[in-house]
Amino acid sequence: MTPQPTAGPDATAGTVETVFRMEFPRVVAAVARIVRDVGIAEELAQDALVAALEQWPRDGVPGNPGAWLMTTARRRAVDLVRRRETYARKLAEIGRDADLVTAPPEPPAGPDDIDDDLLRLVFTACHPALSAEARAALTLRLLGGLTTAEIARAFLVPEATAAQRIVRAKRTLARQNVAFEVPYGPDREARLASVLDVIYLIFNEGYAATAGDDWLRPALCEDALRLARVLSGLMPKEPEVHGLTALLEFQASRTAARTGPDGEPVLLKDQNRARWNRMLIARGVTALARADAAASGPPGPYALQAAIAACHAHAYRYEETDWPRIAALYGLLAARTPSPVVELNRAVAVSMAEGPEAALPLVDALTTEPVLRDYHLLPAVRGDLLARLGRTEEAREEFARAAELAGNAREREMLRGRAAEPGG
């Protein structure tokens, strides 16, 4: 590799940081295949970063900086294994990897051209032995390349809390000797569901933040969408992977229209649909078609949610929304994955398709559900139905209760406004 002309220290450091963030997941995945420990793999990747910061300002940026980082980290991984007492046993496992280290590896052709190592890393980071919070934090760290401080900001927790989650997750994986592999059969299906749930959790926290001052965190949505696209490339025959990707593409297409000039939430019916990203909608249509083509049976939960999102995407005006189809799709989703939240969403669709009087009994039936006891959207939906039925005082009380339960400052402010003017 021919070094590029030496730039100033600041410029070189910026180049190192950019390249490292881009290549970090691949480097960790490749090294983890050698050392069989994601914690050690991350440390070796960081060692390669330190080496780059030391050498590149002096010798110039390599012609292929990603391959340089990969080679450096792999060599250090092999050296580490050779120093272990179990070298003789490990040598057989890493023999083919050692051959790869003797010469710089071929660089990936592009961001979507990713080998199986990354797929192993996805399933390892989302192992069911970890809590949902730990899976999300570790996924963002290892696959999103986010720093601990960035993860802490994303989920509005102290940096020490985010660091503890990541450290404990890596220790748990090491203590339980979790294999660095893609599971097969029933284990794979169970783990895949966990992987998809974590990616969706990350996206939702960016799409409608549960707490804090900002209702929308676009960077978190972008991270989740990128992970979903990566997974689609790695697992092209899995319909639910494409279903999740389609859902996130459709949802992300509305991002620019979901907040006003001052960051205030803009509800779906009030959004300027000219601001919806038609390129993302087209990508969602393609991903949904792939989900349908890959399915051998009824659509899964993510494909059904993507089909619902597609109904919204295809409506150029709110009044053109196919609410009867959306209500029917929510019915299928409720049958496939029964959930009070799904039933609440179905009630909203029924209210639009058949009127608020048809939906109010459905919502009232949910008021005793324990899981919805502190869910602010339940009184918010009930308040909206009551307002549409002209029961203003009752609606005012429901919106006020919803505002008390809302954790996000922007959403709380909006709900207080609805309490002041229920018919607004």
Side-chain angles (χ1 to χ4, degrees):
M1 294 180 290
T2 303
Q4 297 176 357
T6 303
D10 292 342
T12 302
T15 299
V16 174
E17 181 179 350
T18 299
V19 172
F20 185 73
R21 183 178 284 262
M22 291 172 58
E23 298 297 331
F24 179 74
R26 293 183 178 90
V27 173
V28 171
V31 172
R33 176 157 52 98
I34 299 173
V35 299
R36 304 290 170 177
D37 186 305
V38 294
I40 294 174
E42 184 182 2
E43 292 175 6
L44 292 171
Q46 294 285 354
D47 288 346
L49 170 64
V50 172
L53 288 169
E54 292 174 349
Q55 296 181 37
W56 292 7
R58 181 188 67 230
D59 303 333
V61 178
N64 192 327
W68 189 98
L69 287 171
M70 181 73 77
T71 301
T72 301
R74 276 176 159 169
R75 284 175 175 159
R76 293 183 181 218
V78 172
D79 288 343
L80 176 64
V81 173
R82 283 174 176 160
R83 290 195 300 268
R84 290 174 175 172
E85 293 181 355
T86 55
Y87 167 67
R89 178 172 56 84
K90 288 289 185 180
L91 184 60
E93 298 178 12
I94 68 164
R96 65 188 185 92
D97 296 314
D99 293 336
L100 292 173
V101 181
T102 58
E106 288 296 320
D112 296 326
D113 181 17
I114 302 169
D115 60 28
D116 289 340
D117 286 340
L118 193 54
L119 186 56
R120 294 186 185 97
L121 187 60
V122 170
F123 277 88
T124 301
C126 294
H127 194 276
L130 307 177
S131 67
E133 295 83 2
R135 289 179 216 158
L138 192 60
T139 300
L140 285 175
R141 176 72 189 130
L142 298 181
L143 293 153
L146 273 66
T147 65
T148 304
E150 289 171 332
I151 295 170
R153 286 198 299 270
F155 289 104
L156 300 177
V157 297
E159 189 170 343
T161 300
Q164 286 178 350
R165 287 179 183 174
I166 296 169
V167 169
R168 287 173 181 169
K170 289 187 286 190
R171 285 177 179 170
T172 298
L173 295 177
R175 184 174 61 252
Q176 297 195 14
N177 198 26
V178 172
F180 186 69
E181 64 183 11
V182 177
Y184 293 92
D187 288 343
R188 176 168 176 167
E189 184 176 349
R191 293 270 289 279
L192 179 59
S194 173
V195 170
L196 299 181
D197 288 347
V198 166
I199 294 175
Y200 193 39
L201 170 68
I202 293 170
F203 182 90
N204 277 342
E205 188 57 34
Y207 193 70
T210 54
D213 296 328
D214 297 320
W215 195 42
L216 193 67
R217 297 187 193 126
L220 212 53
C221 293
E222 291 166 7
D223 286 327
L225 183 53
R226 179 168 57 83
L227 292 174
R229 289 171 179 169
V230 166
L231 203 58
S232 291
L234 294 171
M235 307 182 73
K237 296 182 180 180
E238 292 288 349
E240 277 292 79
V241 173
H242 295 301
L244 175 64
T245 304
L247 174 60
L248 301 195
E249 299 280 11
F250 286 131
Q251 298 287 72
S253 71
R254 307 178 202 160
T255 300
R258 294 189 72 243
T259 53
D262 297 323
E264 70 278 11
V266 178
L267 298 179
L268 182 64
K269 65 183 180 66
D270 300 319
Q271 288 174 17
N272 178 1
R273 301 194 175 204
R275 300 187 67 196
W276 286 9
N277 189 316
R278 290 293 154 183
M279 182 189 72
L280 293 181
I281 290 175
R283 291 185 66 120
V285 170
T286 299
L288 185 55
R290 288 173 179 162
D292 292 339
S296 58
Y302 285 115
L304 286 170
Q305 291 179 75
I308 292 169
C311 290
H312 293 295
H314 291 316
Y316 283 90
R317 295 188 306 121
Y318 184 74
E319 294 74 17
E320 296 174 0
T321 306
D322 190 348
W323 289 109
R325 174 168 170 73
I326 291 175
L329 287 169
Y330 269 121
L332 294 175
L333 183 61
R336 183 70 185 268
T337 55
S339 160
V341 173
V342 172
E343 287 294 344
L344 182 61
N345 288 327
R346 185 174 76 87
V348 172
V350 168
S351 78
M352 300 305 299
E354 304 175 24
E357 62 282 349
L360 186 59
L362 302 178
V363 175
D364 287 343
L366 297 173
T367 56
T368 57
E369 289 285 349
V371 72
L372 298 181
R373 182 176 294 114
D374 297 322
Y375 189 51
H376 69 286
L377 292 183
L378 176 60
V381 168
R382 192 168 188 275
D384 185 68
L385 297 179
L386 291 169
R388 289 164 60 189
L389 289 169
R391 295 161 61 176
T392 304
E393 289 306 314
E394 293 174 84
R396 195 186 308 277
E397 293 177 3
E398 291 294 322
F399 283 127
R401 180 168 177 269
E404 290 177 1
L405 293 173
N408 183 274
R410 292 288 189 177
E411 197 167 15
R412 187 162 54 247
E413 183 180 348
M414 178 187 68
L415 289 167
R416 284 172 177 166
R418 290 298 308 273
E421 298 182 29

PDB file of all heavy atoms in Angstrom, residues 110-136:
ATOM      1  N   GLY A 110     -17.547  -2.378  -0.590  1.00  0.00           N
ATOM      2  CA  GLY A 110     -18.399  -1.247  -0.236  1.00  0.00           C
ATOM      3  C   GLY A 110     -19.101  -1.526   1.068  1.00  0.00           C
ATOM      4  O   GLY A 110     -18.956  -2.601   1.652  1.00  0.00           O
ATOM      5  N   PRO A 111     -19.905  -0.562   1.559  1.00  0.00           N
ATOM      6  CA  PRO A 111     -20.550  -0.719   2.866  1.00  0.00           C
ATOM      7  C   PRO A 111     -21.530  -1.865   2.929  1.00  0.00           C
ATOM      8  O   PRO A 111     -21.852  -2.345   4.006  1.00  0.00           O
ATOM      9  CB  PRO A 111     -21.246   0.633   3.068  1.00  0.00           C
ATOM     10  CG  PRO A 111     -21.395   1.208   1.706  1.00  0.00           C
ATOM     11  CD  PRO A 111     -20.209   0.726   0.931  1.00  0.00           C
ATOM     12  N   ASP A 112     -22.036  -2.325   1.780  1.00  0.00           N
ATOM     13  CA  ASP A 112     -22.988  -3.425   1.780  1.00  0.00           C
ATOM     14  C   ASP A 112     -22.341  -4.773   1.479  1.00  0.00           C
ATOM     15  O   ASP A 112     -23.008  -5.795   1.455  1.00  0.00           O
ATOM     16  CB  ASP A 112     -24.106  -3.154   0.756  1.00  0.00           C
ATOM     17  CG  ASP A 112     -24.917  -1.935   1.141  1.00  0.00           C
ATOM     18  OD1 ASP A 112     -25.097  -1.700   2.344  1.00  0.00           O
ATOM     19  OD2 ASP A 112     -25.338  -1.210   0.230  1.00  0.00           O
ATOM     20  N   ASP A 113     -21.031  -4.763   1.208  1.00  0.00           N
ATOM     21  CA  ASP A 113     -20.304  -5.978   0.887  1.00  0.00           C
ATOM     22  C   ASP A 113     -19.592  -6.445   2.153  1.00  0.00           C
ATOM     23  O   ASP A 113     -18.453  -6.076   2.417  1.00  0.00           O
ATOM     24  CB  ASP A 113     -19.298  -5.716  -0.239  1.00  0.00           C
ATOM     25  CG  ASP A 113     -18.542  -6.978  -0.622  1.00  0.00           C
ATOM     26  OD1 ASP A 113     -19.010  -8.073  -0.254  1.00  0.00           O
ATOM     27  OD2 ASP A 113     -17.494  -6.858  -1.280  1.00  0.00           O
ATOM     28  N   ILE A 114     -20.280  -7.260   2.964  1.00  0.00           N
ATOM     29  CA  ILE A 114     -19.795  -7.595   4.291  1.00  0.00           C
ATOM     30  C   ILE A 114     -19.763  -9.110   4.452  1.00  0.00           C
ATOM     31  O   ILE A 114     -20.682  -9.813   4.017  1.00  0.00           O
ATOM     32  CB  ILE A 114     -20.696  -6.970   5.367  1.00  0.00           C
ATOM     33  CG1 ILE A 114     -20.738  -5.450   5.164  1.00  0.00           C
ATOM     34  CG2 ILE A 114     -20.212  -7.294   6.762  1.00  0.00           C
ATOM     35  CD1 ILE A 114     -21.771  -4.764   5.972  1.00  0.00           C
ATOM     36  N   ASP A 115     -18.685  -9.641   5.072  1.00  0.00           N
ATOM     37  CA  ASP A 115     -18.549 -11.087   5.191  1.00  0.00           C
ATOM     38  C   ASP A 115     -19.297 -11.619   6.405  1.00  0.00           C
ATOM     39  O   ASP A 115     -19.933 -10.891   7.162  1.00  0.00           O
ATOM     40  CB  ASP A 115     -17.068 -11.483   5.223  1.00  0.00           C
ATOM     41  CG  ASP A 115     -16.337 -10.851   6.402  1.00  0.00           C
ATOM     42  OD1 ASP A 115     -16.992 -10.578   7.426  1.00  0.00           O
ATOM     43  OD2 ASP A 115     -15.115 -10.645   6.297  1.00  0.00           O
ATOM     44  N   ASP A 116     -19.204 -12.933   6.589  1.00  0.00           N
ATOM     45  CA  ASP A 116     -19.966 -13.580   7.640  1.00  0.00           C
ATOM     46  C   ASP A 116     -19.500 -13.222   9.041  1.00  0.00           C
ATOM     47  O   ASP A 116     -20.223 -13.455  10.007  1.00  0.00           O
ATOM     48  CB  ASP A 116     -19.903 -15.102   7.455  1.00  0.00           C
ATOM     49  CG  ASP A 116     -20.703 -15.557   6.244  1.00  0.00           C
ATOM     50  OD1 ASP A 116     -21.571 -14.802   5.801  1.00  0.00           O
ATOM     51  OD2 ASP A 116     -20.450 -16.674   5.750  1.00  0.00           O
ATOM     52  N   ASP A 117     -18.290 -12.706   9.183  1.00  0.00           N
ATOM     53  CA  ASP A 117     -17.818 -12.327  10.513  1.00  0.00           C
ATOM     54  C   ASP A 117     -18.750 -11.317  11.162  1.00  0.00           C
ATOM     55  O   ASP A 117     -19.030 -11.388  12.365  1.00  0.00           O
ATOM     56  CB  ASP A 117     -16.403 -11.730  10.430  1.00  0.00           C
ATOM     57  CG  ASP A 117     -15.347 -12.792  10.184  1.00  0.00           C
ATOM     58  OD1 ASP A 117     -15.630 -13.971  10.459  1.00  0.00           O
ATOM     59  OD2 ASP A 117     -14.248 -12.440   9.719  1.00  0.00           O
ATOM     60  N   LEU A 118     -19.223 -10.370  10.390  1.00  0.00           N
ATOM     61  CA  LEU A 118     -20.105  -9.347  10.938  1.00  0.00           C
ATOM     62  C   LEU A 118     -21.444  -9.948  11.360  1.00  0.00           C
ATOM     63  O   LEU A 118     -22.038  -9.537  12.359  1.00  0.00           O
ATOM     64  CB  LEU A 118     -20.310  -8.235   9.910  1.00  0.00           C
ATOM     65  CG  LEU A 118     -20.951  -6.951  10.437  1.00  0.00           C
ATOM     66  CD1 LEU A 118     -20.192  -6.406  11.621  1.00  0.00           C
ATOM     67  CD2 LEU A 118     -21.025  -5.908   9.346  1.00  0.00           C
ATOM     68  N   LEU A 119     -21.915 -10.921  10.605  1.00  0.00           N
ATOM     69  CA  LEU A 119     -23.155 -11.597  10.979  1.00  0.00           C
ATOM     70  C   LEU A 119     -22.985 -12.314  12.311  1.00  0.00           C
ATOM     71  O   LEU A 119     -23.869 -12.279  13.171  1.00  0.00           O
ATOM     72  CB  LEU A 119     -23.553 -12.590   9.886  1.00  0.00           C
ATOM     73  CG  LEU A 119     -24.905 -13.293  10.058  1.00  0.00           C
ATOM     74  CD1 LEU A 119     -26.023 -12.287  10.189  1.00  0.00           C
ATOM     75  CD2 LEU A 119     -25.168 -14.240   8.901  1.00  0.00           C
ATOM     76  N   ARG A 120     -21.836 -12.944  12.516  1.00  0.00           N
ATOM     77  CA  ARG A 120     -21.562 -13.588  13.805  1.00  0.00           C
ATOM     78  C   ARG A 120     -21.574 -12.556  14.933  1.00  0.00           C
ATOM     79  O   ARG A 120     -22.067 -12.817  16.032  1.00  0.00           O
ATOM     80  CB  ARG A 120     -20.202 -14.292  13.763  1.00  0.00           C
ATOM     81  CG  ARG A 120     -20.126 -15.467  12.800  1.00  0.00           C
ATOM     82  CD  ARG A 120     -18.795 -16.180  12.927  1.00  0.00           C
ATOM     83  NE  ARG A 120     -18.658 -17.231  11.932  1.00  0.00           N
ATOM     84  CZ  ARG A 120     -18.021 -17.100  10.779  1.00  0.00           C
ATOM     85  NH1 ARG A 120     -17.437 -15.960  10.485  1.00  0.00           N
ATOM     86  NH2 ARG A 120     -17.954 -18.089   9.933  1.00  0.00           N
ATOM     87  N   LEU A 121     -21.012 -11.387  14.649  1.00  0.00           N
ATOM     88  CA  LEU A 121     -20.953 -10.342  15.662  1.00  0.00           C
ATOM     89  C   LEU A 121     -22.350  -9.853  16.028  1.00  0.00           C
ATOM     90  O   LEU A 121     -22.648  -9.588  17.194  1.00  0.00           O
ATOM     91  CB  LEU A 121     -20.095  -9.178  15.170  1.00  0.00           C
ATOM     92  CG  LEU A 121     -19.799  -8.072  16.180  1.00  0.00           C
ATOM     93  CD1 LEU A 121     -19.053  -8.627  17.384  1.00  0.00           C
ATOM     94  CD2 LEU A 121     -18.998  -6.953  15.534  1.00  0.00           C
ATOM     95  N   VAL A 122     -23.228  -9.726  15.038  1.00  0.00           N
ATOM     96  CA  VAL A 122     -24.609  -9.301  15.284  1.00  0.00           C
ATOM     97  C   VAL A 122     -25.287 -10.259  16.255  1.00  0.00           C
ATOM     98  O   VAL A 122     -25.895  -9.852  17.253  1.00  0.00           O
ATOM     99  CB  VAL A 122     -25.400  -9.238  13.958  1.00  0.00           C
ATOM    100  CG1 VAL A 122     -26.882  -9.028  14.238  1.00  0.00           C
ATOM    101  CG2 VAL A 122     -24.882  -8.136  13.067  1.00  0.00           C
ATOM    102  N   PHE A 123     -25.174 -11.556  15.976  1.00  0.00           N
ATOM    103  CA  PHE A 123     -25.846 -12.539  16.818  1.00  0.00           C
ATOM    104  C   PHE A 123     -25.206 -12.649  18.196  1.00  0.00           C
ATOM    105  O   PHE A 123     -25.888 -12.944  19.176  1.00  0.00           O
ATOM    106  CB  PHE A 123     -25.852 -13.903  16.116  1.00  0.00           C
ATOM    107  CG  PHE A 123     -26.964 -14.058  15.124  1.00  0.00           C
ATOM    108  CD1 PHE A 123     -26.805 -13.661  13.812  1.00  0.00           C
ATOM    109  CD2 PHE A 123     -28.187 -14.567  15.513  1.00  0.00           C
ATOM    110  CE1 PHE A 123     -27.829 -13.787  12.892  1.00  0.00           C
ATOM    111  CE2 PHE A 123     -29.224 -14.705  14.611  1.00  0.00           C
ATOM    112  CZ  PHE A 123     -29.049 -14.311  13.305  1.00  0.00           C
ATOM    113  N   THR A 124     -23.912 -12.399  18.280  1.00  0.00           N
ATOM    114  CA  THR A 124     -23.247 -12.440  19.581  1.00  0.00           C
ATOM    115  C   THR A 124     -23.681 -11.258  20.444  1.00  0.00           C
ATOM    116  O   THR A 124     -23.989 -11.417  21.630  1.00  0.00           O
ATOM    117  CB  THR A 124     -21.718 -12.426  19.399  1.00  0.00           C
ATOM    118  OG1 THR A 124     -21.324 -13.560  18.620  1.00  0.00           O
ATOM    119  CG2 THR A 124     -21.018 -12.502  20.748  1.00  0.00           C
ATOM    120  N   ALA A 125     -23.711 -10.076  19.859  1.00  0.00           N
ATOM    121  CA  ALA A 125     -24.095  -8.875  20.611  1.00  0.00           C
ATOM    122  C   ALA A 125     -25.540  -8.939  21.076  1.00  0.00           C
ATOM    123  O   ALA A 125     -25.896  -8.297  22.072  1.00  0.00           O
ATOM    124  CB  ALA A 125     -23.878  -7.631  19.755  1.00  0.00           C
ATOM    125  N   CYS A 126     -26.369  -9.696  20.377  1.00  0.00           N
ATOM    126  CA  CYS A 126     -27.789  -9.790  20.730  1.00  0.00           C
ATOM    127  C   CYS A 126     -28.137 -11.138  21.363  1.00  0.00           C
ATOM    128  O   CYS A 126     -29.259 -11.626  21.218  1.00  0.00           O
ATOM    129  CB  CYS A 126     -28.648  -9.545  19.493  1.00  0.00           C
ATOM    130  SG  CYS A 126     -28.531  -7.883  18.842  1.00  0.00           S
ATOM    131  N   HIS A 127     -27.177 -11.719  22.066  1.00  0.00           N
ATOM    132  CA  HIS A 127     -27.411 -13.022  22.699  1.00  0.00           C
ATOM    133  C   HIS A 127     -28.489 -12.891  23.778  1.00  0.00           C
ATOM    134  O   HIS A 127     -28.509 -11.919  24.535  1.00  0.00           O
ATOM    135  CB  HIS A 127     -26.110 -13.536  23.312  1.00  0.00           C
ATOM    136  CG  HIS A 127     -26.175 -14.980  23.690  1.00  0.00           C
ATOM    137  ND1 HIS A 127     -26.706 -15.418  24.881  1.00  0.00           N
ATOM    138  CD2 HIS A 127     -25.772 -16.098  23.023  1.00  0.00           C
ATOM    139  CE1 HIS A 127     -26.635 -16.735  24.931  1.00  0.00           C
ATOM    140  NE2 HIS A 127     -26.071 -17.170  23.837  1.00  0.00           N
ATOM    141  N   PRO A 128     -29.391 -13.873  23.891  1.00  0.00           N
ATOM    142  CA  PRO A 128     -30.476 -13.780  24.883  1.00  0.00           C
ATOM    143  C   PRO A 128     -29.996 -13.811  26.329  1.00  0.00           C
ATOM    144  O   PRO A 128     -30.770 -13.505  27.243  1.00  0.00           O
ATOM    145  CB  PRO A 128     -31.348 -15.003  24.568  1.00  0.00           C
ATOM    146  CG  PRO A 128     -30.495 -15.915  23.746  1.00  0.00           C
ATOM    147  CD  PRO A 128     -29.548 -15.033  23.002  1.00  0.00           C
ATOM    148  N   ALA A 129     -28.726 -14.159  26.567  1.00  0.00           N
ATOM    149  CA  ALA A 129     -28.201 -14.114  27.935  1.00  0.00           C
ATOM    150  C   ALA A 129     -28.108 -12.684  28.448  1.00  0.00           C
ATOM    151  O   ALA A 129     -28.013 -12.465  29.661  1.00  0.00           O
ATOM    152  CB  ALA A 129     -26.822 -14.773  27.980  1.00  0.00           C
ATOM    153  N   LEU A 130     -28.161 -11.711  27.546  1.00  0.00           N
ATOM    154  CA  LEU A 130     -28.043 -10.306  27.918  1.00  0.00           C
ATOM    155  C   LEU A 130     -29.427  -9.671  28.038  1.00  0.00           C
ATOM    156  O   LEU A 130     -30.370 -10.079  27.360  1.00  0.00           O
ATOM    157  CB  LEU A 130     -27.227  -9.546  26.870  1.00  0.00           C
ATOM    158  CG  LEU A 130     -25.853 -10.119  26.516  1.00  0.00           C
ATOM    159  CD1 LEU A 130     -25.219  -9.288  25.413  1.00  0.00           C
ATOM    160  CD2 LEU A 130     -24.964 -10.162  27.740  1.00  0.00           C
ATOM    161  N   SER A 131     -29.529  -8.662  28.876  1.00  0.00           N
ATOM    162  CA  SER A 131     -30.784  -7.915  28.978  1.00  0.00           C
ATOM    163  C   SER A 131     -30.998  -7.097  27.712  1.00  0.00           C
ATOM    164  O   SER A 131     -30.056  -6.871  26.940  1.00  0.00           O
ATOM    165  CB  SER A 131     -30.743  -6.975  30.186  1.00  0.00           C
ATOM    166  OG  SER A 131     -29.775  -5.947  29.974  1.00  0.00           O
ATOM    167  N   ALA A 132     -32.233  -6.650  27.507  1.00  0.00           N
ATOM    168  CA  ALA A 132     -32.530  -5.853  26.310  1.00  0.00           C
ATOM    169  C   ALA A 132     -31.681  -4.582  26.278  1.00  0.00           C
ATOM    170  O   ALA A 132     -31.188  -4.179  25.216  1.00  0.00           O
ATOM    171  CB  ALA A 132     -34.017  -5.503  26.278  1.00  0.00           C
ATOM    172  N   GLU A 133     -31.507  -3.941  27.455  1.00  0.00           N
ATOM    173  CA  GLU A 133     -30.703  -2.718  27.512  1.00  0.00           C
ATOM    174  C   GLU A 133     -29.250  -3.009  27.166  1.00  0.00           C
ATOM    175  O   GLU A 133     -28.600  -2.232  26.459  1.00  0.00           O
ATOM    176  CB  GLU A 133     -30.791  -2.094  28.910  1.00  0.00           C
ATOM    177  CG  GLU A 133     -32.171  -1.600  29.297  1.00  0.00           C
ATOM    178  CD  GLU A 133     -33.061  -2.692  29.836  1.00  0.00           C
ATOM    179  OE1 GLU A 133     -32.595  -3.854  29.952  1.00  0.00           O
ATOM    180  OE2 GLU A 133     -34.236  -2.395  30.126  1.00  0.00           O
ATOM    181  N   ALA A 134     -28.732  -4.134  27.670  1.00  0.00           N
ATOM    182  CA  ALA A 134     -27.344  -4.495  27.395  1.00  0.00           C
ATOM    183  C   ALA A 134     -27.144  -4.836  25.926  1.00  0.00           C
ATOM    184  O   ALA A 134     -26.130  -4.470  25.316  1.00  0.00           O
ATOM    185  CB  ALA A 134     -26.923  -5.673  28.272  1.00  0.00           C
ATOM    186  N   ARG A 135     -28.110  -5.542  25.331  1.00  0.00           N
ATOM    187  CA  ARG A 135     -28.007  -5.875  23.905  1.00  0.00           C
ATOM    188  C   ARG A 135     -27.966  -4.608  23.062  1.00  0.00           C
ATOM    189  O   ARG A 135     -27.172  -4.493  22.126  1.00  0.00           O
ATOM    190  CB  ARG A 135     -29.214  -6.718  23.477  1.00  0.00           C
ATOM    191  CG  ARG A 135     -29.238  -8.125  24.013  1.00  0.00           C
ATOM    192  CD  ARG A 135     -30.501  -8.837  23.541  1.00  0.00           C
ATOM    193  NE  ARG A 135     -31.011  -9.731  24.562  1.00  0.00           N
ATOM    194  CZ  ARG A 135     -32.260 -10.154  24.624  1.00  0.00           C
ATOM    195  NH1 ARG A 135     -33.145  -9.751  23.723  1.00  0.00           N
ATOM    196  NH2 ARG A 135     -32.647 -10.977  25.573  1.00  0.00           N
ATOM    197  N   ALA A 136     -28.845  -3.656  23.384  1.00  0.00           N
ATOM    198  CA  ALA A 136     -28.887  -2.414  22.612  1.00  0.00           C
ATOM    199  C   ALA A 136     -27.569  -1.654  22.737  1.00  0.00           C
ATOM    200  O   ALA A 136     -27.022  -1.165  21.750  1.00  0.00           O
ATOM    201  CB  ALA A 136     -30.049  -1.552  23.077  1.00  0.00           C
TER     202      ALA A 136
END
